Amino acid sequence: MALLEIIGLTVKFPTRFGNFTATNNVSLEVQAGEIHGLVGESGAGKTTIGAAVMGLLQSPGYIGSGSINLAGENLLALDNNQYHRVRGNRISMIFQDPQTSLNPLLTVADQLIETIRQHSDVTADDARTQAIQLLEETGLSDAKQRIDDYPHQFSGGMRQRVVIALALCTQPELIIADEPTTALDVSVQKQILALIRTLAKDRGVGFILITHDIGVISEITDQVTVLRSGRVIESGDTRQVLMQPTDNYTRALMAAVPRLEQRLHRFNNIVTDDSIIDGDDHWQVDGASAKLASDWLLSGHQSSDTGTTASTTPVLAVKDLEVTFQSGQPGWFQSRSGVKALSNINFDMHAGEVLGIVGESGSGKSTLAKSIVGLVDPSAGELRFRGQPLPPGSKRHRKHPVRREIQMIFQDPYSSLNNRLTVEQIIAEPIRFYKLARNRAHIRQLVASVLELVEMPQRAMLKYPHQFSGGQRQRIAVARALVARPDFLICDEPTSALDVSIQAQILNLLKDLQEAFGLSILFISHNLAVIRQMTDRLLVLKNGKLVEISNTDRFFREPAAPYSQQLLRETPSLSHLNAR
Amino acid sequence: MLTFISRRLLQSLFVMLAVSLIAFALFRFVGDPVAQMVGQETSIEDQERIRERLGLNDSIPTQFVRFIGKLASADFGYSYRTRQPVSEMILTRLPATLELGFVSLLISLLIGIPAGIYTAIKRGGALANTLLVTTLVGISIPTFVIGIFLIYLFGVKLGWLPTFGRGDTIALGWWKTSFLTLDGLKSMLLPALTLGVYQLTLTMRLVRAEMQDVLKTDYIKFATARGINYRSLYFNHAFRNTLIPVITIIGLQLGGIIAFSIVTESVFQWPGMGLLFLDSIRYVDIPVMSVYLVLIAMMFVIINLIVDMLYFFIDPRVRLASEAN
């Protein structure tokens, strides 16, 4: 008998516009000791399935039909109090972000001991002993000393171990892990995944692993279920499903996953069903077309690139850059102390080059971008843009030409667009600010044309940002950056907030634009596979220091620095599926 | 902890100095002190002698330093109106106000916190909605109307409770308390309720809003998923996390209750500091007013210090960060 059996699960959320079906007739089985992956893009219903199994559906959601059986017992027949006794005791859960899933006011010991004693009749001392053993088992070597610490005293990876210990402490039969490694750096991710693998094998715990990351799925799951819009697309043995997908959607999804092993010129065969793009998009501005936008952008380029030295001087030269953040207020008797976010950074970037910056969180990637674009003042060192010294942000005049020539695309398209302005106002702003158009009609024409250039219908200019999906918003953000006619684009994790198929579309778009306009792009990402697809050269940062500069192809063949080798080794990859 | 407290004390000292300066200005420059002390028939020479004896001819900074010195040694001077020492007048009134403030705080916390938690958990329930609407009415009506209404209902119509004064008190040294007699407690009830209604509503709504936020957090979801029983979930896990903002606001409000219980005290003829202050305004009794000002400022400073220290006990992040320094 299967440990967990979900049969024909349909979850509905009543809304003002009728019922929204979050999952539709979903069936799956999890055996004891098995790791079952649920994969799909946002809105696929992965998390809803997890919540339904826990009996913790967000109100007003309800289970329309189907059944959930745990070791043969129908969970849906339980009343709330009976269900609450199942939680923790037989099914437990691991959440995405270890920063927020532990109670900040209680020590780790408090939280563990309370949970253990909730479900078994042991003394506080016994529970404490058990808790220490568990923490050791999950990889906290000095558990005895650290058990009385508070969550904020642990690092992210350590916290996730505590979370896992908490999920395990009542010896549940099933654990639902909802994106357990998404908020972690790759090295920590590797360790946590290995831990989950061990626990499944040694303790016979069944896992449901919810993730959007195909790399993670391929690394540790035995079975996988691919979901889309609340329906099961394909299900079966992980290797089988990922390597020989039978469904078109799975195939398209796999094609959209950036690979570490090879550089594709473009992503092919990608899913396109952005519903807003379809439909009535015949509305047009007179004379507007993608061609117009591209001609206009090209003409702008030539005029700014007339200098004969342009090809030889690097477009950006960074020399001995150092950024220090002052920490807090200076004490009465001590001098100001600071954290060095970046130190001793040196590199050149050539015109038309795409330079990647990789590193784990806290490595200084974004600080580097911000000091170039002028949002952070360097504490030492020199920046030169096309041979001219680049003043620090606070001294850079508002009308300084560099303000137009360097544009930035941010990570989160939900917060980088002003929701109170229409798309037309958003895109027209740089044109008006830099006085790039002759008159209003021209501005309007340009806005419509550039939207078409980023593969959006012209009609989009009449709407507000909230009417678009994440991928469409990011296209709008790209259009806004382009319309300033920049030579230099800084993309700070431009696809990290997006689903893989959307990511593939945006990456394709950026590649096309880069080729068409010969843009120099500084491309920041924590995702090595994306860096491989996008960049010519890359920098590796660690704790604010430069570890390695390398040609991208060479880096992936033979990384020089030990840290780079480690980084590559720890990044989940699909290649082992072939090798196995 | 010690460095933290000593730093806060130092800051408090500056606040107190600033307030003393205002009190001194009030004392020295609002009208001529001598003219207010003496009768019309006092000769100019006598007035001059009094002026000299009181040190009013010295330079202003010297006078200010002397003023501070006297305040610090609890020598508050004499009231113009009653010719009693101000310290004596305040000491007889202080217990009444503090006891009233304490009881109304107790009422507001004992009812407000559970009601806040309840309305957060049972969102949209019938009782929760009733509570919200009634307290909204309570907060919208001015204090004196509530007081008069309570007097009418319980004092006049039903005749259950006394309507003015402190009733019987028992002296513990100089502190006269009404906690130890039935009559005193009965007299306390109506004014305390009147004073506490606003605080109660505020506490309830604040706790409710904070609880609703906390209940949405991942750590509460995780604790639910671990099957922690609901009582511990709500009180130990969720409520504790609402305490920091709740204590901050309640602390500020408590200062307000004590300092500005004037309206309630006058409705119930409660012989506290508020009533004393009202009388001193009526008779331009400047020494009493300036001392009152300093004392109330000190009360706020002390309450804020206590609130800051409570952060220490509640939030390990504050505690450990200061230990690390």
Side-chain angles (χ1 to χ4, degrees), chain A residues 40-53:
Chain A
E41 309 201 341
S42 42
K46 311 180 295 275
T47 300
T48 307
I49 294 174
V53 173

Side-chain angles (χ1 to χ4, degrees), chain A residues 84 93 103 114 119 150, chain B residues 222 226 228 232 237 241 319:
Chain A
H84 199 58
M93 204 158 176
N103 191 329
E114 183 180 13
H119 296 288
Y150 288 91
Chain B
F222 186 32
R226 295 202 305 274
I228 301 292
S232 168
H237 288 258
N241 274 286
R319 191 163 61 230

Side-chain angles (χ1 to χ4, degrees), chain A residues 359-551:
Chain A
E360 306 197 318
S361 49
S363 60
K365 305 187 294 284
S366 290
T367 308
L368 179 54
K370 283 178 186 163
S371 54
I372 295 168
V373 87
L375 295 171
V376 163
D377 279 5
S379 44
E382 194 191 28
L383 296 171
R384 280 178 174 271
F385 187 73
R386 285 211 235 95
Q388 300 298 312
L390 192 59
S394 59
K395 297 199 182 73
R396 207 176 290 175
H397 193 263
R398 262 167 64 83
K399 293 280 163 71
H400 198 289
V402 162
R403 291 232 181 245
R404 180 185 65 73
E405 287 161 356
I406 302 180
Q407 292 291 320
M408 187 150 174
I409 295 168
F410 293 87
Q411 170 172 356
D412 181 7
Y414 289 91
S415 59
S416 67
L417 299 177
N418 186 340
N419 278 317
R420 310 258 160 180
L421 299 181
T422 61
V423 171
E424 177 174 6
Q425 288 168 317
I426 290 172
I427 299 179
E429 195 165 43
I431 308 181
R432 287 211 306 269
F433 182 73
Y434 301 119
K435 302 194 171 53
L436 299 176
R438 293 187 300 274
N439 51 40
R440 274 171 185 232
H442 190 203
I443 292 179
R444 215 176 149 85
Q445 207 177 39
L446 285 175
V447 170
S449 305
V450 86
L451 273 171
E452 200 157 318
L453 188 70
V454 298
E455 294 152 24
M456 293 279 286
Q458 294 186 15
R459 216 187 127 70
M461 65 194 278
L462 305 177
K463 301 185 182 179
Y464 286 90
H466 74 264
Q467 291 168 287
F468 297 97
S469 67
Q472 293 168 332
R473 280 161 172 256
Q474 202 59 306
R475 286 176 193 273
I476 295 168
V478 171
R480 176 180 60 183
L482 271 185
V483 89
R485 293 211 263 197
D487 303 319
F488 192 100
L489 263 188
I490 296 176
C491 303
D492 189 355
E493 303 265 11
T495 59
S496 302
L498 307 175
D499 283 326
V500 271
S501 62
I502 310 295
Q503 164 171 288
Q505 295 172 21
I506 298 290
L507 294 181
N508 272 350
L509 175 70
L510 286 172
K511 276 169 177 262
D512 292 347
L513 295 172
Q514 196 274 331
E515 269 170 32
F517 306 114
L519 295 168
S520 318
I521 299 184
L522 192 68
F523 194 97
I524 298 171
S525 180
H526 69 282
N527 186 334
L528 282 174
V530 169
I531 289 282
R532 164 123 229 204
Q533 303 308 314
M534 292 303 294
T535 65
D536 306 318
R537 283 198 307 150
L538 60 81
L539 314 176
V540 183
L541 290 181
K542 187 195 182 192
N543 298 333
K545 293 197 173 61
L546 198 58
V547 175
E548 183 170 356
I549 304 186
S550 173
N551 176 291

Side-chain angles (χ1 to χ4, degrees), chain A residues 54 56 80 84 87-88 93 95 100-106 114-115 118-119 150 152-153 163 166 332, chain B residues 7 10 218-219 221-222 224-230 232 236-238 240-241 314-317 319-320:
Chain A
M54 288 303 306
L56 291 174
N80 188 36
H84 199 58
R87 285 178 208 134
M93 204 158 176
F95 284 81
T100 60
S101 50
L102 294 171
N103 191 329
L105 302 189
L106 300 177
E114 183 180 13
T115 313
Q118 184 71 51
H119 296 288
Y150 288 91
H152 74 271
Q153 293 168 287
V163 169
L166 268 167
W332 284 20
Chain B
R7 191 180 299 172
L10 205 63
D218 279 357
Y219 54 84
K221 285 188 197 151
F222 186 32
T224 318
R226 295 202 305 274
I228 301 292
N229 67 54
Y230 284 114
S232 168
N236 196 25
H237 288 258
R240 238 200 243 201
N241 274 286
I314 295 167
D315 196 334
R317 286 163 295 190
R319 191 163 61 230
L320 295 166

Side-chain angles (χ1 to χ4, degrees), chain A residues 90-128:
Chain A
R90 302 185 59 194
I91 316 173
S92 204
M93 204 158 176
I94 299 170
F95 284 81
Q96 171 172 352
D97 188 354
Q99 310 286 344
T100 60
S101 50
L102 294 171
N103 191 329
L105 302 189
L106 300 177
T107 63
V108 168
D110 289 341
Q111 304 189 40
L112 272 164
I113 292 170
E114 183 180 13
T115 313
I116 292 171
R117 296 190 71 195
Q118 184 71 51
H119 296 288
S120 63
D121 220 357
V122 294
T123 64
D125 286 344
D126 288 350
R128 195 183 165 85

